[in-house]
Amino acid sequence: MKHRIVVLGAGYAGAYVAGNLARRLSPADTEITVVNAVPDFVQRLRLNQLAAGHDVQAPPLTDVFAGTGIRLRVGRVTAVHPERRVVTVADADGGGDLGYDTLVYALGSQVAGHGVPGVAEHAFDVAGRPSALRLRERLDGLGEGGRVLVVGDGLTGIETATEIAETRPGLSVALVARGELGARLSPGARGHLRQACERLGVTVVEHTAVEAVEANRALCADGTALMSDATVWTAGFAVSSLAAAAGLEVTENGRILVDRTMRSVSHPEIYAVGDSVHALGDNGLPLPMSCGSAGYTGRQAIEAIVGRLTGGKIAKVKLVYLYNAISLGRRDGIWQSVDGEARAKPKYTGGRRAARIKSLIEKGSLWGTSHPTFGLPRRKRRLAAAHAGSAEASAAQAGSAEASAVRAGSAEASPVQAGLAVKSAEFSTDATDQQSAA
């Protein structure tokens, strides 16, 4: 019987992992199935542009995986049952259970309402393609002087506010920041951001917390009300509760705890990548939710899965957080490098050059996803019979030892990790969430 690899989610991380495994593992020994809520690849990095009015491609996943042998199942994952090694999928045909031997959890993240009243009922977001199109439709219906209020000054909020302001200059756009605008940037980059907002006509409301959202206004903690014809909520992201409900060991916010190879510390047959995983970088701090982190964690999971299944050595992939790339419309941007403690370095790059770099990142992410096996060796690796036969025992033993080490490290660094988790949410470009896109 073939070894069944199931990948949940086909965003940046999931599609990358699935395509690479298909190229490196022999189809004589393995079968790979990808489960995704929608039939297309969603460029989440560019959903703010889609909402503003730009055309953004959504390539069919059948085209993305053409020639790889990957099976695509379009449906929503409703449950994971590690004890039976099956996932429950709801689809157009009624759904059912799908068995696995190795599971890759890449379900990404979705917008976090933080329990603020009215967000679900009245706010728009750019966390998925349907929600971005819903915002676009709303903006299309606003007349001259229509008021757009973007809540949250992380990367997604900054990019959304500036993109809308540039693309639709007839609208009045305001950006609400809980603290100082761009507080995590270097002083020079903060100044550049402020100048860009002034140039584009974005009104910045600083040191303000929104406590409720209504149909045409946002209520603030200081008692003031900000009028709005379209409130866009970008104040952080959250992961699905599926992993926690399945009994996997997770953080307080639901991200899956893993060892250095992205393998669950509680269930060795499960790997987690992208926004869903709580992975410590080489600096000892949690990697932020980002497209870059999706790539690093995805590559490490690929090396671990291939190595363990074929009996080979597991390569160690660098897990780093090096920069923030921020677009400020189509002709301006900020490239902000960070140091080993995830703090902004004094130097930054701004203007058209930074905008071109961000555009190249976006185009490269799409191209890389659409060509998942480019540049990989054509040799298909067969599974090691002896290794496969003893996989259960060896995985359980190794998983137990690594779990103890990870828990110990997590306990020692918990205050720092908690602090960076907040920064990560504020600076998230969000890597992947095809599960929440439907």
Side-chain angles (χ1 to χ4, degrees):
M1 183 177 178
K2 293 184 179 182
H3 188 95
R4 302 163 300 173
I5 300 174
V6 174
V7 180
L8 305 182
Y12 294 108
Y16 175 62
V17 171
N20 277 259
L21 290 177
R23 183 63 173 267
R24 296 176 64 176
L25 296 174
S26 172
D29 300 321
T30 59
E31 63 179 33
I32 301 173
T33 302
V34 173
V35 182
N36 200 56
V38 294
D40 306 314
F41 175 71
V42 176
Q43 295 190 68
R44 193 163 180 183
L45 282 175
R46 300 188 60 197
L47 289 180
N48 61 312
Q49 299 169 31
L50 178 67
H54 296 284
D55 292 330
V56 177
Q57 289 179 274
L61 288 170
T62 51
D63 292 347
V64 170
F65 296 135
T68 64
I70 292 172
R71 302 178 180 183
L72 175 64
R73 182 164 179 178
V74 178
R76 180 176 294 277
V77 180
T78 59
V80 178
H81 305 283
E83 71 284 354
R84 294 190 289 124
R85 295 199 178 186
V86 300
V87 295
T88 302
V89 181
D91 57 27
D93 297 324
D97 288 344
L98 177 64
Y100 65 84
D101 298 301
T102 296
L103 182 70
V104 180
Y105 192 107
L107 292 179
S109 62
Q110 56 200 14
V111 68
H114 302 299
V116 175
V119 170
E121 296 84 0
H122 303 297
F124 297 85
D125 67 73
V126 292
R129 189 174 177 89
S131 59
L133 289 173
R134 176 172 165 262
L135 172 58
R136 178 173 178 157
E137 183 180 7
R138 176 60 175 164
L139 297 179
D140 287 342
L142 297 181
E144 188 76 14
R147 300 160 298 185
V148 179
L149 183 69
V150 180
V151 181
D153 68 325
L155 300 192
T156 303
I158 291 170
E159 292 189 333
T160 300
T162 53
E163 195 72 49
I164 292 174
E166 180 183 84
T167 307
R168 301 172 183 265
L171 298 179
S172 174
V173 180
L175 176 61
V176 180
R178 180 176 286 271
E180 180 186 3
L181 177 67
R184 301 296 191 269
L185 300 174
S186 63
R190 283 199 301 272
H192 186 98
L193 172 59
R194 195 172 294 277
Q195 289 176 1
C197 288
E198 292 175 356
R199 172 176 56 81
L200 293 170
V202 176
T203 301
V204 178
V205 183
E206 297 178 287
H207 307 288
T208 300
V210 172
E211 292 194 333
V213 177
E214 296 180 353
N216 57 5
R217 64 178 184 171
L219 305 180
C220 304
D222 60 3
T224 60
L226 301 174
M227 305 307 293
S228 171
D229 299 306
T231 298
V232 188
W233 192 264
T234 65
F237 298 92
V239 298
S240 165
S241 61
L242 278 175
L248 274 67
E249 191 161 345
V250 299
T251 61
E252 288 186 1
N253 61 7
R255 299 175 79 185
I256 299 172
L257 285 168
V258 296
D259 62 20
R260 183 57 175 73
T261 68
M262 302 303 121
R263 186 168 63 170
S264 165
V265 298
S266 58
H267 295 78
E269 73 282 0
I270 298 177
Y271 294 78
V273 296
D275 286 4
S276 302
V277 65
H278 176 86
L280 297 183
D282 294 339
N283 60 0
L285 301 174
L287 291 175
M289 292 182 179
S290 70
C291 182
S293 296
Y296 292 126
T297 57
R299 185 181 169 197
Q300 183 60 80
I302 293 164
E303 296 296 340
I305 293 170
V306 171
R308 289 192 174 105
L309 292 184
T310 63
K313 182 179 179 180
I314 299 175
K316 185 177 181 180
V317 176
K318 288 184 178 180
L319 300 176
V320 293
Y321 169 38
L322 301 175
Y323 61 84
N324 290 306
I326 312 168
S327 63
L328 305 173
R330 298 296 82 217
R331 296 179 293 276
D332 194 3
I334 294 173
W335 176 277
Q336 176 69 73
S337 298
V338 299
D339 62 19
E341 297 299 319
R343 297 171 302 199
K345 293 182 178 180
K347 288 187 177 181
Y348 79 98
T349 298
R352 288 183 179 270
R353 183 182 179 188
R356 287 195 294 268
I357 293 174
K358 179 61 182 287
S359 179
L360 287 173
I361 291 173
E362 294 167 348
K363 292 176 181 177
S365 298
L366 174 61
W367 194 93
T369 301
S370 301
H371 301 79
T373 62
F374 178 79
L376 292 177
R378 293 187 176 277
R379 178 173 173 267
K380 301 279 191 176
R381 299 188 184 184
R382 299 296 300 270
L383 268 60
H387 181 79
S390 61
E392 297 292 325
S394 62
Q397 182 178 3
S400 177
E402 290 172 347
S404 298
V406 170
R407 291 190 190 100
S410 178
E412 292 174 1
S414 57
V416 177
Q417 293 171 7
L420 191 64
V422 174
K423 297 179 185 179
S424 299
E426 292 178 344
F427 272 93
S428 176
T429 58
D430 186 1
T432 54
D433 178 33
Q434 310 307 311
Q435 174 70 10
S436 66

